Amino acid sequence: VLADPSAPDALRLARQAASGLSARHAFPLMAVYRAELAQPPATGKRARKADPGAVLDANLGSAPDRAWMLYLERSNQLEASGQRKDAIQVMDQGFAHFEASASIWPQAIAFYGQTQGWAQAQALAQSCRERFGSLAPETTACNTAAATPEERAAAQRKTDEKADQLVKKLFN
């Protein structure tokens, strides 16, 4: 289902996988979510009115089954649909639950930068450096995630210029 969410039987199979013991597990719920998104919009009485991301809430409400990827997906989906307050609330809950894991910080920082401003992202990056200073790749990723779009563009231009200079040196 995850490989081809638009397949004819994808939604039925995803719902079957997300039932019983796996009703709150991340991958089956993600499959249902993606299959629902991939289905053509229904018309008339069968028109989809519900929030497709609501299926992910079963995982978010289950402490032993929670998955960071679903918090991130749900937050981004809510933000994209114009529900910024709800998106931030979901991210806050997920970040509070998973904040001990250095690997989730860059994604959270980028989300907060886009939704609450880059000053907030910079403050979180500083917290990341203080908490995980010994984990250089993670703290570097936190710093990168806290960069504004303009700072990223400037860094990319510098990288491109250095690459061009190196290529010129090699071929001269």
Side-chain angles (χ1 to χ4, degrees):
V1 172
L2 289 172
D4 187 7
S6 61
D9 286 346
L11 186 55
R12 180 183 62 77
L13 292 171
R15 285 183 177 151
Q16 182 180 350
S19 63
L21 293 176
S22 61
R24 295 183 311 252
H25 294 177
F27 282 111
L29 291 172
M30 181 62 88
V32 172
Y33 170 71
R34 290 197 178 154
E36 284 182 355
L37 289 178
Q39 298 303 308
T43 57
K45 292 180 183 177
R46 295 182 49 212
R48 180 173 43 196
K49 295 178 188 172
D51 173 9
V55 70
L56 304 177
D57 293 341
N59 176 267
L60 306 184
S62 174
D65 299 313
R66 288 181 187 156
W68 170 251
M69 67 180 227
L70 295 191
Y71 277 101
L72 187 62
E73 181 68 32
R74 183 70 166 136
S75 296
N76 287 325
Q77 182 261 334
L78 288 167
E79 170 65 14
S81 68
Q83 299 175 62
R84 178 168 283 184
K85 183 179 176 184
D86 293 334
I88 292 169
Q89 183 179 8
V90 169
M91 178 57 73
D92 287 347
Q93 291 168 355
F95 189 54
H97 187 76
F98 289 102
E99 71 180 326
S101 172
S103 64
I104 65 102
W105 278 68
Q107 295 166 325
I109 289 169
F111 177 85
Y112 285 124
Q114 293 168 358
T115 59
Q116 295 185 315
W118 296 104
Q120 172 72 9
Q122 289 291 330
L124 284 171
Q126 177 63 34
S127 294
C128 177
R129 287 189 296 274
E130 290 168 2
R131 272 184 98 162
F132 307 109
S134 63
L135 302 172
E138 283 80 359
T139 57
T140 299
C142 287
N143 293 336
T144 301
T148 66
E150 295 80 19
E151 291 169 334
R152 287 186 199 145
Q156 185 62 47
R157 278 192 301 277
K158 285 183 181 180
T159 300
D160 292 344
E161 288 171 7
K162 287 180 182 180
D164 287 343
Q165 290 172 358
L166 190 62
V167 167
K168 286 178 183 177
K169 282 184 180 181
L170 288 172
F171 289 107
N172 283 335

